[in-house]
Amino acid sequence: MIIFKNLILKISSLRFAISLIIFIAITSGIGTFIPQGSNNKFYIDNFNRAPIFGFLDGEKVLKLQLDHIYTSFWFLFTLILLCISLAACSFRRQIPSLKASLKWIEYKSEKKFSKLQLTTSHPINQNGEHISKVDLLLKKKGWKTYKFNSHISARKGLIGKIGPLVVHIGLIVLLIGSAYGSFTSQSKEQYLLPGETLDLVNESTNSKANVKLIDFSIERESDGVPKQFISKLNFSSEDLNLNEIKTTKVNHPIRFKGLTIYQADWAISNVVLEIDNLLYQLQLKEIPEIGNQVWGVLVELGSETKKNFLLTIDNENGPLKISNIENFSGNNLYINDNPLEVNSSKVSLKKIIPSSGLIIKNDPSIPFIYFSFILIIFGTIISLIPTNQLWILVNKESQKLSIGGLSNKNLVGFKKEFSKLSDEIKNF
């Protein structure tokens, strides 16, 4: 029993909870630069050549479950342990403190007033109804009072005592919601061309709709670096009698019927070429061996003897580079520019078709997480409210009225209020 009690004391301590939070923060940070959810070959190929911190190779990454940190057993165990710590702290400290604050404390002798933060006394008329007058004054000023024959207990701002408990509940809901979302959330990355349609199905709400990419544009800095990606989407559903247009940008997702749609990436999917008076729409693929965000396709050109040429592009405005694969020499071709003769074939660039990279995510834990944030914010705000207490004692033998006060926060502000109340009571 003693061992169990000591264990509860350690688990419910602030130091233990902070240690867990620091551990969760560090491991979450590791999960941001180690790609999550890839296949085993990816980690072995990448981290065996360049181990993390010099010693974490691909095998260790897989063994320590660093490839899926947020669903690993040790990460979930840490979340559960933090929930237990917060709950134990609430039951051991916050709830007893709240219960104690609900009880009225009586100060029946002048000796007890000397222990208070603020004290003062005034001479009184023995025949005056001082207790009733003080009680009425305090109630008008928003104090909750408990009146006795010769003394009064008063308090204000008791709601501030609830704040820490609400914050603990919010953190517990956040941890549970995050763990729930790690197992239930689903996401899919999809590239859409302008005019292309995608079916949306939310299994949790059993709702169906279609999303159509109306337009996709890229805002660039003066030096050509992409600044923002913008997709204009049309959502329609016959079942829901819905037809509306919404716009998504990077860091500005769309919420739709329980789904979240993020603007994540972009690509150049197709180019339209006119080759020897015939139109061709060619599908491009990313070529990381050449560079970052470079797309291309291999084509045969030549009216008599055909040769392979590599077409590459890295910008939605062009140019398209046509390279000879033998020596990789080539020429640039611009939209609607004069035709370029390549191996006796006339080639002109008619259109560059970029595609929008969207991530469609279904996360049932989002309402829990939003609710937890509301609780945490609300609890933090009301925690700032000071709890003030007053005691007034009338001693008819010494013909003296004593006033004492306590405040758990903002003693300077309470001192001003205490002084003002004292003057008003003195003037009775």
Side-chain angles (χ1 to χ4, degrees):
M1 192 67 182
I2 297 176
I3 297 175
F4 179 74
K5 186 177 180 180
N6 291 335
L7 180 63
I8 293 297
L9 290 175
K10 286 188 176 295
I11 289 177
S12 62
S13 68
L14 181 61
R15 181 179 296 179
F16 183 75
I18 291 176
S19 300
L20 291 176
I21 292 172
I22 292 174
F23 177 76
I24 291 171
I26 292 173
T27 53
S28 297
I30 293 173
T32 60
F33 68 85
I34 296 181
Q36 301 290 292
S38 299
N39 56 54
N40 294 353
K41 185 176 182 299
F42 170 84
Y43 299 101
I44 293 172
D45 291 344
N46 285 274
F47 297 117
N48 278 0
R49 293 196 304 265
I52 305 170
F53 307 127
F55 67 92
L56 280 177
D57 56 21
E59 286 82 3
K60 290 187 178 71
V61 167
L62 295 173
K63 189 174 182 179
L64 294 174
Q65 298 183 331
L66 298 179
D67 59 320
H68 58 284
I69 288 177
Y70 308 113
T71 55
S72 63
F73 79 89
W74 53 265
F75 188 84
L76 295 174
F77 177 75
T78 306
L79 295 182
I80 293 171
L81 204 56
L82 183 56
C83 286
I84 294 173
S85 175
L86 293 172
C89 180
S90 298
F91 280 104
R92 180 172 164 261
R93 297 183 179 181
Q94 304 300 336
I95 294 178
S97 175
L98 181 60
K99 287 182 178 179
S101 64
L102 294 175
K103 296 179 180 179
W104 291 97
I105 301 174
E106 296 184 54
Y107 279 13
K108 298 180 181 180
S109 65
E110 294 178 7
K111 291 182 180 180
K112 291 186 176 181
F113 279 70
S114 62
K115 300 178 182 180
L116 300 175
Q117 292 171 321
L118 301 173
T119 58
T120 187
S121 61
H122 304 296
I124 59 171
N125 183 352
Q126 187 174 1
N127 297 323
E129 293 294 330
H130 299 286
I131 288 297
S132 297
K133 290 180 180 179
V134 172
D135 182 59
L136 183 61
L137 173 67
L138 292 176
K139 286 181 177 177
K140 286 182 178 179
K141 291 185 176 294
W143 289 81
K144 301 293 182 182
T145 64
Y146 199 102
K147 188 178 74 167
F148 302 88
N149 290 330
S150 61
H151 57 280
I152 294 174
S153 295
R155 62 194 181 198
K156 185 165 62 173
L158 191 62
I159 191 174
K161 293 283 188 179
I162 305 175
L165 183 61
V166 175
V167 172
H168 281 197
I169 295 172
L171 288 172
I172 292 172
V173 173
L174 175 62
L175 294 171
I176 294 174
S178 300
Y180 174 62
S182 297
F183 289 99
T184 58
S185 63
Q186 298 175 337
S187 63
K188 178 182 179 182
E189 186 171 8
Q190 183 74 36
Y191 283 87
L192 290 181
L193 296 171
E196 195 171 3
T197 301
L198 178 68
D199 293 330
L200 296 179
V201 179
N202 188 348
E203 296 179 357
S204 59
T205 60
N206 198 26
S207 58
K208 298 179 181 179
N210 295 324
V211 58
K212 180 180 180 181
L213 180 63
I214 299 175
D215 183 52
F216 174 68
S217 59
I218 301 173
E219 294 181 359
R220 293 183 178 271
E221 302 283 1
S222 57
D223 58 358
V225 176
K227 177 182 177 182
Q228 183 63 274
F229 310 138
I230 305 170
S231 294
K232 185 180 290 186
L233 303 170
N234 180 34
F235 294 86
S236 60
S237 173
E238 295 181 359
D239 298 337
L240 302 174
N241 193 21
L242 175 73
N243 188 13
E244 58 180 312
I245 295 175
K246 296 184 177 184
T247 300
T248 179
K249 305 177 182 179
V250 176
N251 297 326
H252 293 82
I254 294 174
R255 314 288 181 186
F256 178 77
K257 303 299 179 182
L259 299 175
T260 306
I261 300 174
Y262 299 89
Q263 179 67 60
D265 205 352
W266 72 288
I268 298 177
S269 297
N270 298 77
V271 291
V272 178
L273 299 177
E274 182 177 333
I275 303 174
D276 295 331
N277 299 321
L278 293 176
L279 287 177
Y280 298 89
Q281 180 166 315
L282 304 178
Q283 186 175 0
L284 307 182
K285 292 185 179 180
E286 193 168 8
I287 310 177
E289 294 82 3
I290 296 179
N292 185 32
Q293 291 191 326
V294 177
W295 297 267
V297 64
L298 196 64
V299 297
E300 285 186 338
L301 296 175
S303 57
E304 298 178 358
T305 305
K306 295 187 178 295
K307 291 184 178 180
N308 288 326
F309 289 84
L310 180 64
L311 311 184
T312 57
I313 191 170
D314 62 0
N315 193 297
E316 74 281 5
N317 298 316
L320 179 71
K321 186 175 182 179
I322 304 177
S323 304
N324 189 330
I325 63 171
E326 294 178 356
N327 52 21
F328 285 96
S329 61
N331 297 300
N332 292 332
L333 184 62
Y334 294 87
I335 296 178
N336 296 323
D337 201 0
N338 293 327
L340 188 67
E341 187 170 337
V342 181
N343 193 33
S344 71
S345 289
K346 290 184 177 181
V347 184
S348 59
L349 178 60
K350 296 299 182 182
K351 192 174 183 181
I352 301 171
I353 306 175
S355 61
S356 173
L358 303 174
I359 293 179
I360 298 98
K361 189 172 183 180
N362 175 25
D363 191 350
S365 68
I366 287 179
F368 295 97
I369 293 175
Y370 282 175
F371 178 64
S372 70
F373 286 154
I374 292 172
L375 289 177
I376 293 170
I377 293 171
F378 175 71
T380 302
I381 291 173
I382 64 176
S383 294
L384 301 176
I385 300 173
T387 301
N388 301 329
Q389 294 176 280
L390 280 176
W391 290 271
I392 293 91
L393 174 65
V394 173
N395 191 332
K396 292 186 178 180
E397 293 181 1
S398 61
Q399 296 186 11
K400 189 166 63 174
L401 184 146
S402 300
I403 307 171
L406 281 175
S407 179
N408 65 341
K409 298 182 185 74
N410 190 20
L411 183 60
V412 175
F414 178 56
K415 189 175 181 179
K416 294 179 182 179
E417 184 179 5
F418 181 86
S419 179
K420 187 177 179 181
L421 273 173
S422 178
D423 291 339
E424 291 186 42
I425 293 172
K426 182 180 180 181
N427 294 329
F428 281 162

